[in-house]
Amino acid sequence: ERVAAELLLNIILYHKFACHYRLYGFVIMPDHFHMVVQPYGQLDLSSITKRIKGNFTRFFHLYTGQSEPIWQKGFYDRGIRSRQELISTLEYMHNNPVRKGLATRPDKYEFSSCGYYDGGDQRFVLWIDSIEWGGESETKVSSTGLGDTRDGRSDLQSPPMFASAHD
């Protein structure tokens, strides 16, 4: 449902600033969401995810009048330790709507950061953080036409984390 996707996007953006994490990519699917984040404040990934899911549930229930649980308990996460691993993760996430028949191309799916990476979609300019690898800053990493795929270690204090939450 469009309203649910828009609500989740707004909650993710709010929590990006309130919970202090960098956001490198996201995809909102009808039954789950993916995001690549890097916490830099007091909260860890588990706390951030709980806040996003909890606030979404509260506002969605207010909007719909429903009260049943929305999310499964927990989530899947893994550390991303190289530029190539980040690119592979973004490709996987961005191609999810195509695999599920929701779009013909990743950059055509509305609830994804793919359009920002591949086409300069400015809707998400506040959302997506610059990626720094080995002291170099990149505003964008293409998720479909990769070009340079050199492998480098992140010079960031902690690796970005890949999180996926399912309902």
Side-chain angles (χ1 to χ4, degrees), residues 30-50:
D31 60 351
H32 66 284
F33 71 94
H34 299 274
M35 60 183 185
V36 176
V37 301
Q38 181 187 41
Y40 65 86
Q42 299 288 327
L43 299 176
D44 62 12
L45 184 60
S46 180
S47 298
I48 291 167
T49 302
K50 284 179 188 175

Side-chain angles (χ1 to χ4, degrees), residues 4 13 24 31 47 73 77-79 84 93 116-117 121 128 134 142 163 167:
L13 179 62
Y24 300 116
D31 60 351
S47 298
K73 292 186 186 283
D77 72 309
R78 67 178 173 85
Q84 184 56 46
M93 285 176 17
Y116 173 80
Y117 283 112
D121 184 343
I128 306 301
S142 175
D167 71 356

Side-chain angles (χ1 to χ4, degrees), residues 100-157:
K100 298 293 184 182
L102 299 172
T104 57
R105 293 182 3 205
D107 62 330
K108 297 297 181 191
Y109 188 64
E110 182 176 10
F111 303 110
S112 166
S113 57
C114 186
Y116 173 80
Y117 283 112
D118 287 347
D121 184 343
Q122 294 300 302
R123 290 180 304 146
F124 302 121
V125 73
L126 285 177
W127 300 59
I128 306 301
D129 289 291
S130 177
I131 299 166
E132 295 192 18
W133 294 97
E136 297 176 23
S137 178
E138 296 181 31
T139 305
K140 301 174 185 175
V141 175
S142 175
S143 64
T144 55
L146 293 177
D148 178 20
T149 57
R150 69 179 181 272
D151 193 351
R153 289 299 209 195
S154 171
D155 62 347
L156 301 171
Q157 292 297 318

Side-chain angles (χ1 to χ4, degrees), residues 3 5 13-14 20 24-25 27 53 60 65 68 71 75 77-78 80 82 85 98-99 115-116 125 137 139 153 159 163:
V3 171
L13 179 62
Y14 168 78
H20 305 287
Y24 300 116
V27 174
K53 289 165 63 173
F60 189 75
E68 62 271 354
W71 305 104
F75 63 97
D77 72 309
R78 67 178 173 85
I80 297 173
S82 71
E85 198 173 353
V98 175
R99 283 191 298 277
Y116 173 80
V125 73
S137 178
T139 305
R153 289 299 209 195

